[in-house]
């Protein structure tokens, strides 16, 4: 005997689609994500995500960020962004997911018991968002042990090389996909006992992905030539060696002292999605707890040997109690805490002879790659710049507390339902503190001017009324040089008496035209001095000097 859903829904006027586990198990879902199930629902149209509108589908003409997703009765719209555009995610209008856009972080396909989507005329309890209402119910353990294992593999060795690679004599790029996982569920019994009626059940699932996707283009970038590296010394030689060694000659129009570096690449991506659910029947109460965790990410390779790292981490814990108070009255309580973080960071790759500069030499003493970014730029105005950036770019966090309480009362043919859905969102942006750029107009200029990695910001230049003033934060001997004939009046300086260090400070980064009044920070002070701290300002912005030298981000106004 089997039980199936009725062909006609008599208890609700909602319009929607219900898919059970057996139907899901027999469907060939592309990527093992739930987006393929959405295509079965009338009124759903997929849209192309954009940086300012990252929703993936529209329901009955609504916006792509107007849908609400629930997992085991609690909200799952805790998605965050890996870019600077995070206003939609901050409002809790998009569901959590992996960095690749899949739903495996919420529920793996093998851990899904039921998929339900309502598109119109749904009950008031689903009225938080006007679009589609998606409800996902996870599997629980049974009285017998059961499990599954799988691995879907794809490898470039299974494919023939294409005509263009054969014509050019090139080999195939890595094209590898491994999507693997498994499930295990059953009763939880005491050691040495097998009770007829187990007191608890568990269901665990895991899904992982390792993907390397080849890119069609061939990168052809400018790097310092071998002759320029041979002439460089000290920190300039270390700067040049941070880029890969050239493997092709320069082209007409290339900057002086440069050669070409060509390469082909495959972008890597990955995710993990473990989850565990425990069910405990206690008298007339059914208690459960489910925990899910899903880290994911992908990398994009740009310039010669820079990689942009995008990552997401999602964690969620849900507890529920269904209590049958009487044959007519049922109480259902769900409590959830969820958090998702999105990160975008820069890193270098030590490939083809490149030796990355150590963090101790590049990053300031008071900061690290977890808080700031450092960019090494040569030929910044060129159409093919030589650039390498490392460190933090930006991040976004979203955290949720959700309490759902429902009371259901049955009276004859009538059903009365009342409850509350309390939800608190705590979005937070986590941008880098400042950006630091070592900027040279050309490789030839770098050879001529040199580079002093030890230059640091030790003060600031600001305008107070009609005067330009300098404020220092280091106990060093004062010797300020003006820029463009500007008279600088030092104030609040604390030179050490009897100091013989003789440091000469330079004012750089001055804007033009200068403001006439107000306290406006228009520049900064750098010195060949390794101090223990800088002025400690927040909200730094990356700026370019336009000439050789060290430069740090600094606040623009107060």
């Amino acid at each position: 005997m089997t039980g199936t859903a009725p062909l006609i829904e008599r208890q609700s006027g909602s319009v929607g689609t219900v898919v059970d586990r057996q139907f899901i198990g027999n469907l060939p879902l592309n990527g093992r994500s739930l987006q393929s199930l959405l295509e079965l629902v009338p009124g759903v149209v997929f849209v192309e995500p954009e940086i300012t509108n990252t929703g993936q589908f529209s329901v009955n003409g609504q916006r792509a960020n107007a849908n609400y997703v629930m997992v085991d009765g609690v909200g799952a719209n805790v998605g965050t962004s890996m870019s600077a555009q995070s206003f939609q995610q901050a409002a809790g209008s998009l569901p959590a997911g992996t960095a690749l856009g899949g739903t495996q972080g919420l529920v793996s396909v093998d851990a899904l018991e039921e998929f339900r989507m309502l598109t119109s005329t749904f009950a008031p309890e689903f009225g938080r968002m006007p679009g589609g209402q998606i409800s996902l119910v996870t599997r629980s353990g049974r009285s017998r042990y059961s499990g599954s294992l799988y691995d879907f593999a794809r490898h470039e060795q299974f494919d023939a090389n294409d005509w263009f690679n054969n014509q050019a004599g090139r080999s195939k790029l890595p094209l590898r996909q491994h999507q693997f996982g498994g499930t295990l569920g059953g009763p939880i019994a005491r050691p040495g006992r097998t009770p007829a009626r187990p007191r608890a059940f568990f269901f665990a699932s895991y899904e992982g992905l390792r993907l390397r996707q080849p890119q069609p283009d061939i990168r052809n970038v400018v790097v310092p030539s071998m002759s320029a590296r041979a002439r460089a010394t000290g920190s300039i030689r270390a700067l040049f060696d941070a880029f890969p060694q050239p493997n092709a000659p320069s082209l007409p129009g290339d900057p002086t002292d440069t050669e070409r570096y060509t390469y082909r690449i495959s972008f890597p991506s990955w995710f993990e999605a473990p989850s565990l659910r425990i069910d405990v029947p206690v008298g007339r109460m059914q208690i459960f707890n489910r925990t899910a965790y899903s880290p994911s990410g992908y990398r994009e390779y740009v310039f010669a040997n820079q990689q942009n790292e995008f990552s997401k981490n999602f964690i969620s814990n849900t507890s529920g109690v269904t209590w049958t108070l009487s044959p007519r009255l049922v109480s259902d309580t769900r409590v959830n805490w969820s958090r998702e973080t999105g990160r975008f960071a820069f890193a270098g790759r030590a490939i083809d002879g490149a030796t990355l500069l150590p963090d101790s030499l590049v990053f300031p003493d008071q900061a690290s790659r977890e808080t700031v970014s450092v960019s090494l730029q040569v030929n910044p105005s060129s159409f093919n710049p030589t650039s390498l950036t490392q460190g933090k770019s930006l991040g976004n966090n979203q955290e949720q507390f959700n309490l759902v309480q429902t009371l259901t009362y049955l009276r004859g043919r009538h059903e009365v339902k009342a409850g509350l859905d309390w939800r608190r969102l705590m979005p937070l942006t986590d941008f880098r503190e400042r950006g630091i750029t070592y900027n040279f107009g050309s490789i030839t200029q770098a050879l001529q001017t040199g580079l002093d990695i030890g230059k640091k910001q030790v003060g600031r230049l600001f305008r107070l009324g009609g005067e330009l003033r300098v404020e220092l934060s280091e106990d060093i001997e004062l010797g300020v040089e003006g820029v463009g004939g500007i008279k600088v009046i030092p104030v609040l300086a604390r030179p050490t008496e009897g100091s013989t260090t003789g440091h000469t400070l330079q004012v750089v980064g001055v804007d033009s035209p200068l403001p006439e009044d107000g306290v406006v920070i228009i520049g900064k002070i750098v010195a060949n001095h390794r101090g223990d701290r800088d002025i400690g300002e927040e909200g730094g912005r990356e700026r370019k000097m336009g000439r050789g030298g060290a430069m740090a981000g600094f606040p623009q106004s107060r």
Side-chain angles (χ1 to χ4, degrees):
M1 179 181 295
T2 59
T4 58
L7 298 179
I8 299 177
E9 177 61 56
R10 300 180 179 179
Q11 298 181 353
S12 173
S14 301
V15 178
T17 301
V18 180
V19 181
D20 58 18
R21 181 165 61 91
Q22 181 179 1
F23 188 71
I24 294 173
N26 294 329
L27 282 178
L29 301 178
N30 184 20
R32 296 179 57 81
S33 185
L34 300 181
Q35 279 90 339
S36 298
L37 296 178
L38 299 176
E39 295 180 319
L40 305 176
V41 181
V44 175
V45 177
F46 281 90
V47 298
E48 184 177 356
E50 300 175 353
I51 189 172
T52 57
N53 187 12
T54 55
Q56 299 183 13
F57 60 94
S58 171
V59 178
N60 293 333
Q62 295 284 347
R63 293 179 180 270
N65 65 328
N67 307 303
Y68 195 63
V69 179
M70 295 167 287
V71 178
D72 291 328
V74 295
N77 277 28
V78 293
T80 189
S81 171
M82 298 176 292
S83 68
Q85 301 290 342
S86 60
F87 46 89
Q88 288 188 348
Q89 292 84 347
S93 60
L94 294 174
T98 65
L100 306 180
T103 60
Q104 295 90 346
L106 292 176
V107 181
S108 177
V109 171
D110 292 287
L112 184 62
E113 181 70 27
E114 180 183 271
F115 170 89
R116 179 188 297 267
M117 183 171 184
L118 306 178
T119 56
S120 64
T121 62
F122 36 79
E125 61 184 299
F126 303 109
R128 187 179 293 276
M129 303 292 286
Q133 312 296 310
I134 302 174
S135 177
L136 308 176
V137 180
T138 60
R139 292 177 61 181
S140 58
R142 297 294 186 263
S143 57
R144 296 197 309 175
Y145 293 102
S146 62
S148 63
L149 291 173
Y150 60 88
D151 184 8
F152 299 93
R154 183 178 181 182
H155 200 281
E156 73 272 8
Q157 297 300 329
F158 301 151
D159 302 327
N161 203 358
D162 60 45
W163 184 88
F164 298 98
N165 286 337
N166 289 331
Q167 182 71 12
R170 296 190 295 261
S171 61
K172 294 177 292 185
L173 283 173
L175 172 57
R176 301 168 188 176
Q177 178 178 356
H178 285 276
Q179 196 161 1
F180 50 91
T183 62
L184 179 63
I188 300 177
R190 295 181 181 179
R193 295 186 181 182
T194 306
R197 297 184 60 183
R199 298 184 179 181
F201 305 87
F202 78 95
F203 187 86
S205 69
Y206 171 82
E207 184 171 0
L209 173 71
R210 301 294 184 272
L211 174 64
R212 297 188 65 184
Q213 190 169 2
Q215 302 303 303
D217 57 334
I218 300 177
R219 305 294 174 89
N220 192 349
V221 297
V222 172
V223 295
S225 65
M226 296 303 295
S227 61
R229 299 173 193 239
R231 301 197 310 271
T233 59
S235 57
I236 289 296
R237 178 58 188 267
L239 170 65
F240 289 173
D241 287 342
F243 299 96
Q245 295 182 359
N247 55 14
S250 60
L251 300 178
D254 284 351
T256 308
D257 293 320
T258 63
E259 291 178 324
R260 290 281 174 157
Y261 172 67
T262 62
Y263 65 101
R264 297 183 300 151
I265 51 176
S266 294
F267 289 167
S269 55
W270 59 276
F271 71 75
E272 314 271 358
S275 67
L276 175 64
R277 172 169 173 153
I278 304 293
D279 290 83
V280 182
V282 181
R284 290 188 292 179
M285 292 190 297
Q286 299 290 331
I287 305 173
F288 83 92
N289 179 272
R290 180 177 183 269
T291 300
Y293 174 65
S294 178
S296 59
Y298 66 91
R299 296 175 180 175
E300 293 181 352
Y301 299 143
V302 296
F303 301 121
N305 59 328
Q306 179 181 317
Q307 62 184 14
N308 297 338
E309 300 178 344
F310 300 87
S311 63
K312 275 190 176 185
N313 283 278
F314 171 71
I315 184 171
S316 178
N317 184 272
T318 303
S319 297
V321 178
T322 302
W323 188 5
T324 304
L325 300 173
S326 70
R328 295 183 177 181
L329 184 62
V330 178
S331 171
D332 187 81
T333 306
R334 306 291 170 96
V335 180
N336 170 263
W337 170 82
S338 299
R339 182 179 64 195
E340 184 172 80
T341 60
R343 294 291 182 269
F344 172 29
F346 304 107
R349 294 194 299 157
I351 57 173
D352 295 335
T355 303
L356 300 179
L357 295 172
D359 289 358
S360 59
L361 184 62
V362 177
F363 289 88
D365 292 338
Q366 72 280 3
S368 65
R369 65 171 58 244
E370 284 74 28
T371 57
V372 303
S373 67
V374 174
S375 179
L376 308 174
Q377 295 188 7
V378 183
N379 304 320
S381 60
S382 171
F383 69 94
N384 195 348
T386 304
S387 176
L388 175 61
T389 304
Q390 301 183 74
K392 180 179 180 179
S393 175
L394 55 89
N396 294 285
N397 303 331
Q398 179 65 281
E399 191 171 2
Q400 168 189 273
F401 288 98
N402 191 196
L403 171 63
V404 181
Q405 172 63 50
T406 305
L407 285 175
T408 304
Y409 180 70
L410 301 177
R411 183 71 176 182
R413 296 183 178 180
H414 303 282
E415 176 182 302
V416 180
K417 182 179 290 187
L420 64 89
D421 186 347
W422 177 82
R423 184 183 184 212
R424 182 181 181 184
L425 296 175
M426 292 168 285
L428 176 67
T429 57
D430 185 18
F431 294 94
R432 63 187 175 188
E433 295 180 0
R434 64 186 64 234
I436 301 173
T437 301
Y438 296 96
N439 192 341
F440 294 91
S442 65
I443 292 178
T444 303
Q445 185 181 22
L447 289 170
Q448 296 173 352
T449 61
L451 171 65
D452 194 343
I453 301 293
K455 285 185 179 293
K456 289 199 172 179
Q457 180 175 343
V458 294
R460 61 181 181 176
L461 174 69
F462 63 94
R463 172 178 285 278
L464 180 60
E467 297 179 345
L468 286 176
R469 301 196 177 191
V470 170
E471 182 182 58
L472 299 180
S473 61
E474 301 281 347
D475 291 329
I476 59 178
E477 187 171 337
L478 184 63
V480 179
E481 297 178 358
V483 176
I486 299 176
K487 181 181 179 181
V488 177
I489 303 176
V491 297
L492 302 179
R494 298 171 294 165
T496 303
E497 294 183 4
S499 174
T500 58
T501 55
H503 291 296
T504 299
L505 310 184
Q506 295 177 341
V507 182
V508 296
V510 176
D511 293 334
S512 181
L514 299 176
E516 295 298 332
D517 54 10
V519 179
V520 181
I521 300 173
I522 58 175
K524 60 177 175 41
I525 312 300
V526 297
N528 184 14
H529 173 71
R530 278 199 172 276
D532 295 331
R533 61 187 177 91
D534 65 0
I535 60 177
E537 298 286 353
E538 297 179 353
R541 294 176 53 189
E542 183 173 300
R543 296 289 301 274
K544 295 182 178 180
M545 290 172 52
R547 292 186 178 182
M551 177 269 168
F554 56 92
Q556 297 301 298
S557 63
R558 285 293 184 272

